[in-house]
């Protein structure tokens, strides 16, 4: 499946590069101003990326929307399939979110048609990664990495929720009580919570922390 | 290895040029969560997965 989607993403790079070139091909004509007599100058004044014309001959570049070059640091491949597939799910989620926002930024039916395809594929890819994640979680467990002997973890904090903010609101969530999601132990609220409340409730510390907030 | 065919996976044409929107569209091509990122990520994950079947590292 990795190869299936990976190969499909090559096709999406091709689709987007083609669409960008089509959008750049033939600058808009507008004769209202002197500068507008040169459509290229008008487009640059209107906010196009001048490098699209100067560097790329009205084609796409491997950069983002503000010209920052693509970097391999955007990617991760750790060899741990569960950690990696979770990142894949996030990548498809962020990617679909941005494609949907771009869909809302244009009314061109042709551009929307292409984006509706990419949005649909990102939808399916999220489903595929979710299914793969679920399969791995059922066989190896939900915590990454699953191979480390948990007895070597400091046991008294391994299932403790630590509330380090004022009040108890965050302690009421599912993450703070009930069985842990890896079904290894019941969750508990850390004893550090009580120590924290004692500190925050003391008048002296309260004064120190509140004073700078008033300045803002 | 990969073979290439001339047809796009899905072909759509804009009704008119829009160089300003072309700049915006660069985000999902070469941005952090763009198609180049997922393409490279998935293909490199394949490489590691194949290698891991021969030599098992700790986790």
């Amino acid at each position: 499946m990795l190869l299936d989607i990976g190969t499909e993403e090559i096709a999406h790079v091709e689709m987007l590069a083609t669409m960008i070139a089509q959008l750049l091909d033939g600058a808009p004509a507008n004769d209202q101003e002197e500068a507008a007599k040169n459509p290229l100058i008008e487009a640059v004044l209107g906010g196009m990326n001048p490098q699209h014309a100067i560097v790329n001959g009205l084609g796409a570049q491997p950069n983002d929307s503000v010209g920052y070059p693509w970097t391999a640091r955007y990617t991760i491949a750790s060899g741990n399939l569960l950690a990696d597939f979770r990142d894949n799910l996030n990548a498809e989620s962020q990617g679909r979110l941005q494609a949907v926002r771009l869909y809302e930024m244009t009314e061109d039916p042709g551009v929307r048609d292409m984006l509706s395809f990419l949005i649909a594929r990102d939808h399916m890819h999220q489903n595929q990664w979710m299914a793969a994640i679920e399969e791995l979680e059922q066989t190896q467990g939900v915590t990454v990495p699953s191979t480390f002997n948990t007895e070597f973890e400091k046991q008294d904090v391994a299932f403790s929720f630590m509330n380090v903010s004022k009040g108890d609101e965050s302690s009421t969530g599912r993450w703070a009580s009930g069985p842990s999601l890896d079904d290894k132990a019941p969750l508990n609220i850390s004893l550090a919570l009580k120590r924290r409340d004692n500190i925050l409730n003391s008048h002296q510390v309260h004064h120190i922390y509140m004073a700078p907030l008033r300045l803002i | 290895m990969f073979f290439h065919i001339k047809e796009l996976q899905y072909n759509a044409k804009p009704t008119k040029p829009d160089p300003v929107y072309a700049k915006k569209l660069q985000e999902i091509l070469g941005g952090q969560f763009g198609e180049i990122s997922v393409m490279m990520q998935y293909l490199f994950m394949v490489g590691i997965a194949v290698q891991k079947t021969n030599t098992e590292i700790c986790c």
Side-chain angles (χ1 to χ4, degrees), chain A residues 154-171:
Chain A
K154 189 65 75 181
Q155 292 300 303
D156 55 354
V157 293
F159 298 97
S160 300
F161 176 73
M162 296 185 182
N163 179 353
V164 287
S165 41
K166 201 159 188 285
D168 292 327
E169 202 180 342
S170 61
S171 310

Side-chain angles (χ1 to χ4, degrees), chain A residues 10-87:
Chain A
I10 304 177
H12 294 174
V13 169
E14 187 183 29
M15 277 172 61
L16 275 171
T18 304
M19 177 57 78
I20 288 169
Q22 286 170 333
L23 285 164
L24 290 167
D25 193 22
N30 185 340
D31 58 3
Q32 285 179 343
E33 286 180 298
E34 192 65 22
K37 284 177 181 169
N38 184 333
L40 182 61
I41 291 174
E42 196 235 344
V44 172
L45 288 173
M48 85 174 276
N49 180 353
Q51 283 197 336
H52 271 149
I54 301 165
V55 182
N56 308 111
L58 300 179
Q61 41 178 223
N63 303 337
D64 69 14
S65 58
V66 293
Y68 190 86
W70 183 84
T71 163
R73 295 282 183 183
Y74 291 154
T75 71
I76 184 72
S78 70
N80 182 296
L81 285 181
L82 184 50
D84 284 358
F85 287 2
R86 282 173 176 168
D87 193 83

Side-chain angles (χ1 to χ4, degrees), chain A residues 9 14 26 61 65 102 113, chain B residues 4 10 17 21 26-27 35 42:
Chain A
E9 304 298 0
E14 187 183 29
Q61 41 178 223
S65 58
L102 279 161
D113 188 28
Chain B
H4 182 262
Y10 185 76
Y21 190 78
Q26 285 282 161
E27 191 61 37
E35 301 289 352
Y42 298 163

Side-chain angles (χ1 to χ4, degrees), chain B residues 5-26:
Chain B
I5 56 168
K6 276 185 182 173
E7 288 77 24
L8 292 174
Q9 188 189 18
Y10 185 76
N11 194 16
K13 285 186 168 64
T15 52
K16 59 180 190 318
D18 188 346
V20 178
Y21 190 78
K23 181 181 174 179
K24 295 174 187 169
L25 210 51
Q26 285 282 161

